[in-house]
Amino acid sequence: MFNKILAAIIFLSVYTSNSWGQEIGTAFTIIPLGVKGGDDESNLSSYMIAPKGSANYVCLDAGTINAGIQKAIEYKSLRGISEEIQRKKIKGYLISHAHLDHVAGLIINSPADTSKNIYGIPSVLNILKDKYFTWDAWANFANEGEKPQLKKYTYFPLIEGNTNLLDGTEMKVKAFELSHGNPYKSTAFLISHNDSYVLYLGDTGADEIEKSDKLASLWQTISPLINQGQLKAIFLEVSFPNEQPDKQLFGHLTPKLFFSEIGKLKSLTDGDAIKKVSFIVTHIKPPQRSAEKIKHQLLTENALNLNLIFPKQGKLLTIN
């Protein structure tokens, strides 16, 4: 009798483990806490991401936190109290660059947060350390910089091309430098769980405008993942309509430049493999008339028939 019970327990344990692993390995859950670029402080770049079936999220940038969580609760994308969700479900922050529309939520909400890592390339972490988490600007909640150091946050430097575990989650990350108004740097984060990937690009200019090869190098790296069907989604910004002069792009993309760069990526992939990738359009800047023009231009100029997604603050996305 004991042997039968033991065998049943082992079977259920293996079955449950395998089922859970398969579930969270086939898709990602994304909750946009903020989707805009520009001057709406309640809706700035920030995306919670976790493997489907997991409640262990990281934030891709952190322009808006609390207001976005409250909106997600309204949409029933999240359940609970906003402060507790930030404290318990967000396990760390991946910061692409240190402009305020990508870090303001992290800074303002830091007093109510819990201990966790801030991930970024060294040049980005240095700005947080030297400009924001200082006693003149705010308070130093981090483990480095001005004393006293409150040591709530731990700076975790990402070296380009290295893969690192994201503490408290089932995910890993690899960072790549981007050009955001040369010589200023931004970052792309390749997030993985098992054999599934999502690529998040912070603010970036096109190679032809930036006089850079950062995107070309990134496309070379990720194209095999597209061919193998492993790259599920790419977050890519479009900040201005096509009418914006090149000299006033300030390290951003237009619909025309968006499609130009993705065309280069497609040329590195097999057949229609790129059509299986979801493209999440980020950082559309106000005013509303300009935002509507950007969306119209993206939809009407989509000759590649890409799967374009326009995220809405608080509205849950599942990426398969």
Side-chain angles (χ1 to χ4, degrees), residues 73-104:
I73 292 171
E74 290 178 20
Y75 280 115
K76 302 188 184 329
S77 302
L78 290 168
R79 297 181 184 277
I81 300 170
S82 59
E83 293 85 355
E84 287 299 302
I85 289 171
Q86 181 188 10
R87 290 167 61 86
K88 295 180 179 179
K89 292 193 175 182
I90 297 176
K91 305 299 183 180
Y93 303 92
L94 287 157
I95 303 300
S96 67
H97 63 295
H99 286 167
L100 274 171
D101 57 338
H102 294 256
V103 300

Side-chain angles (χ1 to χ4, degrees), residues 195-207:
D195 293 325
S196 296
Y197 295 81
V198 168
L199 179 67
Y200 175 87
L201 288 84
D203 294 359
T204 183
D207 280 352

Side-chain angles (χ1 to χ4, degrees), residues 31-35 40 42-43 64-80 82 85 312-316:
I31 302 174
L33 301 184
V35 302
D40 183 352
S42 69
N43 192 1
T64 293
I65 299 292
N66 193 40
I69 291 174
Q70 291 180 28
K71 187 67 70 172
I73 292 171
E74 290 178 20
Y75 280 115
K76 302 188 184 329
S77 302
L78 290 168
R79 297 181 184 277
S82 59
I85 289 171
K312 184 173 182 178
Q313 185 183 35
K315 205 86 189 246
L316 184 144

Side-chain angles (χ1 to χ4, degrees), residues 178 187-189 199-204 215 218-219 234-236 282:
L178 300 173
T187 319
F189 299 115
L199 179 67
Y200 175 87
L201 288 84
D203 294 359
T204 183
L215 287 176
L218 180 61
W219 302 152
I234 296 175
F235 291 78
L236 187 57
T282 65

Side-chain angles (χ1 to χ4, degrees), residues 106-113 116 118 133-135 138-144 146 148-155:
L106 167 63
I107 297 166
I108 292 295
N109 290 282
S110 55
D113 207 355
K116 54 197 65 168
I118 300 175
F133 284 125
T134 70
W135 288 96
W138 192 239
N140 186 7
F141 285 98
N143 65 321
E144 298 178 27
E146 287 186 6
Q149 300 158 357
L150 301 181
K151 300 182 187 291
K152 178 178 287 188
Y153 295 132
T154 298
Y155 292 127

Side-chain angles (χ1 to χ4, degrees), residues 5-298:
I5 293 172
L6 180 61
I9 291 172
I10 292 172
F11 172 79
L12 287 172
S13 175
V14 171
Y15 177 80
T16 303
S17 174
N18 287 344
S19 298
W20 181 83
Q22 289 170 3
E23 181 184 8
I24 68 173
T26 57
F28 290 89
T29 297
I30 296 164
I31 302 174
L33 301 184
V35 302
K36 294 181 181 181
D39 55 9
D40 183 352
E41 71 271 14
S42 69
N43 192 1
L44 298 172
S45 297
S46 183
Y47 299 84
M48 292 172 62
I49 184 169
K52 185 180 178 184
S54 171
N56 299 321
Y57 293 86
V58 292
C59 260
L60 300 165
D61 281 326
T64 293
I65 299 292
N66 193 40
I69 291 174
Q70 291 180 28
K71 187 67 70 172
I73 292 171
E74 290 178 20
Y75 280 115
K76 302 188 184 329
S77 302
L78 290 168
R79 297 181 184 277
I81 300 170
S82 59
E83 293 85 355
E84 287 299 302
I85 289 171
Q86 181 188 10
R87 290 167 61 86
K88 295 180 179 179
K89 292 193 175 182
I90 297 176
K91 305 299 183 180
Y93 303 92
L94 287 157
I95 303 300
S96 67
H97 63 295
H99 286 167
L100 274 171
D101 57 338
H102 294 256
V103 300
L106 167 63
I107 297 166
I108 292 295
N109 290 282
S110 55
D113 207 355
T114 52
S115 297
K116 54 197 65 168
N117 290 339
I118 300 175
Y119 302 88
I121 60 176
S123 60
V124 171
L125 296 184
N126 285 340
I127 297 171
L128 289 173
K129 179 172 61 177
D130 297 337
K131 305 297 184 184
Y132 297 136
F133 284 125
T134 70
W135 288 96
D136 284 337
W138 192 239
N140 186 7
F141 285 98
N143 65 321
E144 298 178 27
E146 287 186 6
K147 295 181 179 180
Q149 300 158 357
L150 301 181
K151 300 182 187 291
K152 178 178 287 188
Y153 295 132
T154 298
Y155 292 127
F156 192 114
L158 299 175
I159 306 305
E160 187 173 20
N162 289 357
T163 300
N164 296 99
L165 295 170
L166 291 168
D167 287 354
T169 82
E170 303 84 6
M171 298 175 289
K172 299 177 183 179
V173 65
K174 185 182 289 188
F176 303 88
E177 285 188 4
L178 300 173
S179 183
H180 180 32
N182 201 358
Y184 301 108
K185 294 179 180 179
S186 181
T187 319
F189 299 115
L190 184 64
I191 307 293
S192 62
H193 176 264
N194 291 341
D195 293 325
S196 296
Y197 295 81
V198 168
L199 179 67
Y200 175 87
L201 288 84
D203 294 359
T204 183
D207 280 352
E208 64 188 90
I209 307 296
E210 298 289 304
K211 310 303 179 188
S212 166
D213 64 352
K214 297 297 187 184
L215 287 176
S217 177
L218 180 61
W219 302 152
Q220 287 280 353
T221 299
I222 67 166
S223 57
L225 298 177
I226 295 176
N227 290 334
Q228 295 157 17
Q230 295 176 292
L231 184 63
K232 306 301 181 181
I234 296 175
F235 291 78
L236 187 57
E237 68 121 287
V238 183
S239 295
F240 297 109
N242 289 330
E243 290 77 8
Q244 188 82 356
D246 290 351
K247 291 182 179 180
Q248 296 178 24
L249 289 175
F250 310 111
H252 293 292
L253 297 177
T254 63
K256 178 182 176 181
L257 292 171
F258 174 96
F259 287 121
S260 173
E261 288 296 338
I262 300 306
K264 296 172 188 176
L265 174 59
K266 185 182 185 305
S267 72
L268 300 172
T269 62
D270 299 334
D272 289 332
I274 203 165
K275 291 184 179 180
K276 296 181 180 179
V277 180
S278 296
F279 286 86
I280 301 171
V281 180
T282 65
H283 209 264
I284 293 178
K285 285 179 174 283
Q288 184 61 29
R289 182 180 299 178
S290 177
E292 291 172 357
K293 182 179 288 187
I294 291 169
K295 185 173 181 179
H296 175 76
Q297 289 173 348
L298 284 168

